[in-house]
Amino acid sequence: MSTGDFVLAAMQISAGASGMAAALSYALTVLLLIVAFDYAFGWAERKVIAKIQARHGPTYVGRFGLLQNLADIIKLLSKEHAVPQKASSALFTLVMPLMLGLSIFLVLLVPFSPDLLGPDLGMGALVVFVLLSFMPLMAFVGGISSGNKFSSIGAQRSALMLMAYELPAMVVLASVGALAGSYGFLDIINAQALTNWFAFTMPLGFVVFFVAMLAELERPPFDMREADSELVAGWLTDVSAPYFGLALFVDYTRMFLGSLVMAILFLGGWAGPVLPPIAWLLLKAFAISFAIIIVRATTARMKLDRLLRLGWVALLPLAILNLIITFMIFMR
Amino acid sequence: MTISRINIGPVHPSTHGVLRLVADIDGDTVVGVEPHIGFLHRGVEKLVENRMYMQCPPYFEKLDYVAPMSYDEIYVAAVEQALGVELSERAAYSRTILLELQRIASHLLWLGTMSNDLGQFFGMFMWAFRDRDRVLRLLEEVSGARMFYVNMRLGGLVRDFQPGFDERALEVLGYVERRVKEYERFIEKNPVFIERMKNVGVLTKDMAIELGVTGPVLRGSGVDYDVRKDNPYYVYGKLNFKTQVRSECDCLSRYKVRVMEIRESIRLVREALRIMPEGSAVGMPTRLIIPAAKNRIVGVSREMPRGECFVYMVADPQRPYRLSIRAPSFANLAALGEMAKGCKTSDLFAILGSLDLVMGDVDR
């Protein structure tokens, strides 16, 4: 698909005044969903990890510490935005809003329910994946431009990691596309119907994709770019409070996107009995986020060279094997 | 690629206090690392020259704030040797028990900080601290304090164990034993942990001896040396325990040595509690007027959680004339540069964690 097609497809929703209003209301709804998920996830992550670690987590602000994150947001946003002297100011200031915009835009491309759809690009999964790999590059620019050595090490790691996980994820995506006959989210959801989840048809692919996604989202054990016990805060070392808040928001939005994509590609998307479709999709996305939290709480951080080896020696062959098996069994 | 020099610390999440490292990094490979120390120097060796003998233990405890009891004990033991004070049998047993409990607490804390250094998000840290707290409560019961006990007196302890201490201690030991078994499974069955520690920070046997490292680091490099065994003090000679030695020489073997030492300490305390004689473990009052020292020059060597510590003292009648400490952490820190040469940036922190440094101990 060329860029022109893509722009055209994106403009379809904004054709005409009523289309414009619809697009706007869709965007607002999704934005609300993002904020709600990020907030809920931020709280759940703190609480779940606290429970695993035999702590309580936030308890003081609001019931069950529900308002703790709000307090943190207020704190982060009310602080001064400072640019370090060594930083290249324009890049340093621009990168974070750009990342934020990109992450929100990507969530807009994901369908939430038969009634809550963005533009159907026909190959949404592919587009999301290609654009998602821009994020580490932006983090790279952000880290390098801050002029801090820890940041630049984190940034280099972030960019290097791309090589490890991008390929296996793409190969698994290819087998999903082959099974569904399309890279469009709608086609993939329809192909899985109610119970024919791709997670069951190709469990190997699901596992590889989950691991690759952990790396793609730069969640532990693959959080080398932040690596708080090594690089202080990695690419965010010199970032001031408001931008740190933005970075958190971007990360959580990316988590949301990653969980949604996994839920759609492997867990049948919104298909499910009784509950409305959107509830099913969000439930599945939450289940995946929960798994990601558990992984964070229980494992150590990998090393960069080990991740590269894991990607090329384990994930990629497994992904190709998965592709071959898929072709042999389902594609006769 | 050009070599870039990064400054790590003195305020950094993984330096366990105020250690400053200057590392030369080529891409992701550490070319050289140079520790800068002295941020926590308090001049204890000089301070004690102006204090009465029994005013000094609190200063010593603050040297190693992770295992204060052992520093408390080594100083009092030095004074006892200088003044020729004899210990009752029960006092020797109770000191052994307390020292081993302190070792368990210290190794547990190390387990937590080590896995935090490896990037495990605080889980093991919290669990280890929770379990260490059970041990600390035992020590609190004995001494009245949770961290800085000041529990040693010439010839014994401040007060004897409370009635029922045995049962409570055994219960805690059972709990810690179960937990440690669980943690071992948690870490050793996790390929990421193993990968981060195996063949990382190799310190060969010859190099370990040459650099003079001590304690678990030395034993993790395959040298069978433990003061408790080779030069027994108190009742260690009567108790049945094995020196834990591993010859893989990497971070994993240092980890194993420490975990096995927790086990051995548990066994030691159990045995000591069983055969501890009746009597009194209470030492002399603090304000005792001390007659002239019997031995003017004394040296005491002890196996601390971090390694062998040696206190050299020239005694005056009322106060130390001169005192010098050979601290285990300081000796172990010397090996960092050797171990870190050629490792990856992430490994540097695994190695640092495996040394189990306490900066108070390094800087004194």
Side-chain angles (χ1 to χ4, degrees), chain A residues 49 51-55 149-150 153 156-157 220-221 223-224 228-232 296-306 309, chain B residues 5-8 12-14 25 28 116-123 126-127 130 186 190 192-193 195-196 200 344-347 349:
Chain A
I49 285 187
K51 279 280 172 289
I52 291 174
Q53 297 175 353
R55 295 185 287 123
K149 281 178 185 167
F150 288 117
I153 292 176
Q156 289 164 22
R157 288 179 175 191
D223 59 336
M224 292 90 158
D228 50 2
S229 60
E230 297 162 18
L231 302 180
V232 190
R296 178 185 182 194
T298 49
T299 188
R301 186 180 307 108
M302 271 218 149
K303 276 192 312 187
L304 188 63
D305 52 334
R306 297 293 174 154
R309 187 189 294 177
Chain B
R5 171 165 285 199
I6 60 170
N7 176 55
I8 303 161
H12 182 278
S14 286
I25 289 175
D28 199 26
N116 186 42
D117 289 345
L118 292 179
Q120 202 246 337
F121 180 70
F122 258 57
M126 297 300 298
W127 301 330
R130 174 188 59 188
F186 178 84
N190 187 330
V192 182
F193 275 111
E195 209 153 69
R196 287 297 304 274
V200 167
K344 300 286 176 209
T345 326
S346 316
D347 292 339
F349 299 96

Side-chain angles (χ1 to χ4, degrees), chain A residues 41-200:
Chain A
F41 179 77
W43 178 80
E45 182 174 37
R46 285 176 145 188
K47 275 299 201 192
V48 169
I49 285 187
K51 279 280 172 289
I52 291 174
Q53 297 175 353
R55 295 185 287 123
H56 291 291
T59 48
Y60 285 96
V61 193
R63 209 172 174 76
F64 309 118
L66 269 170
L67 297 180
Q68 179 67 51
N69 281 10
L70 189 65
D72 289 345
I73 292 168
I74 293 171
K75 183 198 77 177
L76 288 173
L77 291 185
S78 57
K79 283 190 170 180
E80 185 193 357
H81 168 58
V83 180
Q85 236 168 23
K86 276 187 184 171
S88 90
S89 163
L91 275 180
F92 185 75
T93 317
L94 265 178
V95 152
M96 212 63 84
L98 271 178
M99 287 179 84
L100 181 67
L102 181 62
S103 58
I104 292 174
F105 173 68
L106 286 178
V107 181
L108 282 172
L109 294 180
V110 178
F112 283 91
S113 80
D115 320 316
L116 193 63
L117 289 171
D120 181 21
L121 303 172
M123 40 174 36
L126 217 50
V127 172
V128 164
F129 249 83
V130 170
L131 290 183
L132 194 56
S133 60
F134 280 24
M135 297 296 254
L137 299 179
M138 289 183 166
F140 177 76
V141 173
I144 292 283
S145 68
S146 84
N148 180 299
K149 281 178 185 167
F150 288 117
S151 297
S152 78
I153 292 176
Q156 289 164 22
R157 288 179 175 191
S158 182
L160 260 172
M161 275 166 63
L162 256 181
M163 298 202 297
Y165 58 77
E166 198 67 8
L167 238 75
M170 280 300 188
V171 173
V172 176
L173 190 64
S175 39
V176 169
L179 267 185
S182 155
Y183 287 108
F185 283 125
L186 290 180
D187 297 324
I188 293 173
I189 293 172
N190 291 333
Q192 296 179 72
L194 204 57
T195 51
N196 191 20
W197 292 2
F198 288 162
F200 301 144

